[in-house]
Amino acid sequence: FVTSGNRAFTQEQDGPLEKVVCYDLLSGKRLWENELTARYDNPLGGIGPRATPTIDENRLYTMGATGELQCLELTTGNPIWSSNVLRTHNAPLPDWGMSSSPLIHENLVIVNVGGSDGKSLVAYDKQSGDFIWGGGDDQAHWSSPIFHEIAGSKQILIFNRDGLYAHNVNTGVILWEHPWTKSTSYPRVAIPVLIPGDRIIMSS
């Protein structure tokens, strides 16, 4: 769940429908729902969407388990724009579905897609849904992008299959990378944590 005022937002599976739902925080009453035909089912990972929605002002951004990125009106759930990022960027569906939450930074919504040809991490205009930039070629795992300022440089960090990558905020170009080839059988889920001294803690 993510909350705003007296409202709580989450994603659910209802048969063949993947839903974004808004509840009254105190009573549990369902205030609105947005639905699309999509279903992800994995024996180990379970059924349904698994990412946390992201609130930005009067909009809600969601990532479905099969790659449907949506921008919705916060008060009504009405769609503003959407894109299936896996189809758009020719990316494979990870074994346990898409679980990366959208990151809002200034005028961008940034999502971990795992596409090739410079489309591993991608950014869209958060208002219009227009594609802005892409960077990297590594396949996505299940971590979410995060913004940090490191050594005076504004960066987006993402922990993917083959390691940790830092992208330029404005262009998506990879600034540096840290290969993570040990324990390759473990999924990359945790979000990297910045600690004093421009150091980063990361964990499979």
Side-chain angles (χ1 to χ4, degrees):
F1 282 91
V2 63
T3 65
S4 175
N6 64 345
R7 293 169 295 176
F9 306 87
T10 191
Q11 295 174 256
E12 304 175 356
Q13 192 71 41
D14 184 5
L17 301 176
E18 192 174 74
K19 294 184 176 182
V20 182
V21 185
C22 172
Y23 292 96
D24 180 87
L25 190 58
L26 299 180
S27 69
K29 178 183 178 182
R30 185 171 295 198
L31 302 177
W32 60 252
E33 62 181 41
N34 169 282
E35 62 183 42
L36 55 86
T37 301
R39 179 182 174 92
Y40 182 79
D41 188 354
N42 179 281
L44 294 178
I47 299 170
R50 52 213 62 214
T52 304
T54 301
I55 295 173
D56 182 64
E57 297 179 343
N58 62 348
R59 296 186 175 195
L60 186 72
Y61 297 84
T62 64
M63 175 67 78
T66 60
E68 198 71 31
L69 175 65
Q70 291 196 91
C71 172
L72 309 174
E73 290 181 354
L74 193 67
T75 55
T76 65
N78 291 334
I80 299 172
W81 58 264
S82 66
S83 173
N84 188 291
V85 295
L86 298 184
R87 288 198 300 266
T88 301
H89 302 294
N90 194 28
L93 178 66
D95 290 340
W96 298 300
M98 298 290 283
S99 65
S100 176
S101 296
L103 169 68
I104 301 296
H105 180 72
E106 296 180 349
N107 67 319
L108 300 176
V109 53
I110 301 166
V111 289
N112 189 22
V113 173
S116 57
D117 298 324
K119 302 293 173 55
S120 178
L121 189 72
V122 300
Y124 293 87
D125 184 289
K126 69 179 185 180
Q127 301 294 334
S128 65
D130 292 338
F131 176 78
I132 301 298
W133 56 249
D137 298 295
D138 197 13
Q139 288 187 20
H141 265 211
W142 302 274
S143 185
S144 298
I146 188 167
F147 170 82
H148 283 309
E149 186 168 327
I150 303 172
S153 173
K154 296 179 179 180
Q155 308 174 24
I156 306 295
L157 300 186
I158 185 64
F159 192 16
N160 279 336
R161 181 191 63 181
D162 293 334
L164 178 65
Y165 298 84
H167 295 255
N168 181 284
V169 172
N170 299 314
T171 65
V173 170
I174 293 179
L175 301 172
W176 57 267
E177 60 187 82
H178 178 75
W180 188 269
T181 55
K182 297 179 181 179
S183 304
T184 54
S185 62
Y186 291 99
R188 286 74 163 107
V189 179
I191 295 174
V193 177
L194 184 67
I195 62 175
D198 291 326
R199 294 182 295 171
I200 297 162
I201 293 176
M202 52 192 289
S203 172
S204 293

